[in-house]
Amino acid sequence: MATKITPKKTTKKPVKKSESFMTKVKWFLLKALLWFFGISIASVVLFKFVPVPFTPLMIIRYFENNAADKENHFSHNWEPIDKISMNLQKAVIASEDGTFLTHNGFDFIAMQKAYKSNERGRKVRGGSTISQQTAKNVFLWQGRSYVRKGLEAYFTVLIELIWGKQRIMEVYLNSIEMGDGVYGAYAATEHWYRKDASSLTMQQAAGIAAILPNPRKFKATSSSSYINNRKTKIVRIMRQIGKIEY
């Protein structure tokens, strides 16, 4: 008598929902990362040739003033770098970033000094270069989080590679805050000295550069003794810079 063999039933292992969810999350993150790199690089390339119309800080100031029931006044006009006084270019280098022409976006010695001073509880200027400040002003928000600092480093590398020093300086001088509601060299020279940006003297340029740590608090004209001392120091350093070659 033949023995009937019953074939074993093969059961498929159920796909774990958690694995399926994690796969979707990974693909989403990968796509988001690719989009971020694509958009960020495209925007940096665009602003190599196109004037920056506004910055995140300008928008933030608008909402801050609205929340505080303050009048919103906004002055910003793009000025090509060849129409911006060389004195102002020297002044911001003397004031903000003495190694701007030679570093690759970061001044690690200045960053280390700032870190050590902050550890001791001293109130000092940060170690950010002009390149870092430009990256932050044009592409990012204000703040001190690790995420923002990481993005700042990323955009700093991009603008150093794609823009070069002259374009970084041009964008910097056209985008930074130089007074309450005053942005860029054109608006600043008109606001503080009633003249155009190409005709600034060394002392006048030093006056604008001296207030950059807090341009809504300090004044480039009728200045405090603290700002006047900064002006004197900046002018002294400017005389040592010599000819700027980007």
Side-chain angles (χ1 to χ4, degrees), residues 81 97 99-106 131 159-160 163-170 245-246:
I81 195 167
D97 184 2
T99 60
F100 172 69
L101 296 171
T102 56
H103 65 58
N104 293 317
F106 307 93
S131 301
I159 64 175
E160 281 281 340
W163 288 1
K165 295 294 185 183
Q166 185 171 7
R167 181 60 175 178
I168 291 172
M169 177 61 77
E170 184 174 45
E245 294 182 357
Y246 293 108

Side-chain angles (χ1 to χ4, degrees), residues 194-207:
R194 298 292 184 267
K195 62 192 307 186
D196 61 86
S198 64
S199 58
L200 285 171
T201 66
M202 291 184 73
Q203 190 69 25
Q204 289 169 340

